[in-house]
Amino acid sequence: MNRFAASMLLSFLASVSSFAPTNSRWAGVRQSNQLKGLRSSDAFKVTLNTPEGPVVIDCPGDSFILDAAEAKELVLNKPEGPVVIDCPGDSFILDAAEAQGVSLPFDCRLGSCVSCGGKVESGTVDNSEQFFLSDDLLNQGFTLTCVAYPTSDCTIKTDVQNDINALF
């Protein structure tokens, strides 16, 4: 199994609530929305509890490694001043900020309002999970931090929901 296929399988397994490894020779799993940092030097089995019953998957060792996405450094320009956080590339910006004690505005957490609106001043983000902002607003740098992933180190102006609303 190649590295891409292994990563896709682990991503799928991470999205399933009943994921239980059946071999104790694995380490480095951090609790989170997604399975991160699973490393095994030996083959192991995964039991996936499905509605049709348990499914056991044989996973080879060594070639079956999924590293956590590389963290990006984000400068959040809040009204009260800038704050710097680290944000894994597979974590929403809002979630990473909250995990580090930084309060940002939000409401729906679904990408369907502008309460968490931000404006990317430098760097890039993945906005593929939002469906509220128009292409024009995205091209102007607006983002929804509740469903945006950093793809590089970024500077983001927060609390811009009024700016976005003024453009509708």
Side-chain angles (χ1 to χ4, degrees), residues 26-76:
W26 62 293
V29 175
R30 296 186 300 163
Q31 295 299 317
S32 144
N33 297 359
Q34 296 181 345
L35 189 63
K36 297 176 186 159
L38 178 61
R39 298 173 188 268
S40 175
S41 58
D42 299 324
F44 60 97
K45 294 181 184 285
V46 173
T47 301
L48 183 62
N49 294 318
T50 69
E52 293 78 31
V55 175
V56 177
I57 301 170
D58 290 314
C59 303
D62 293 334
S63 64
F64 198 66
I65 296 173
L66 178 66
D67 292 323
E70 182 181 330
K72 312 299 187 222
E73 182 178 272
L74 305 185
V75 177
L76 303 175

Side-chain angles (χ1 to χ4, degrees), residues 147-163:
V147 291
Y149 301 99
T151 54
S152 72
D153 293 344
C154 299
T155 299
I156 299 172
K157 181 180 178 183
T158 66
D159 301 80
V160 300
Q161 55 273 38
N162 292 335
D163 297 341

Side-chain angles (χ1 to χ4, degrees), residues 17 21 37 61 136 140:
S17 61
D136 184 49
Q140 292 179 52

Side-chain angles (χ1 to χ4, degrees), residues 95-114:
D95 292 342
E98 288 179 333
Q100 294 172 58
V102 177
S103 177
L104 294 177
F106 69 91
D107 191 15
C108 73
R109 289 188 179 269
L110 299 171
S112 62
C113 74
V114 297

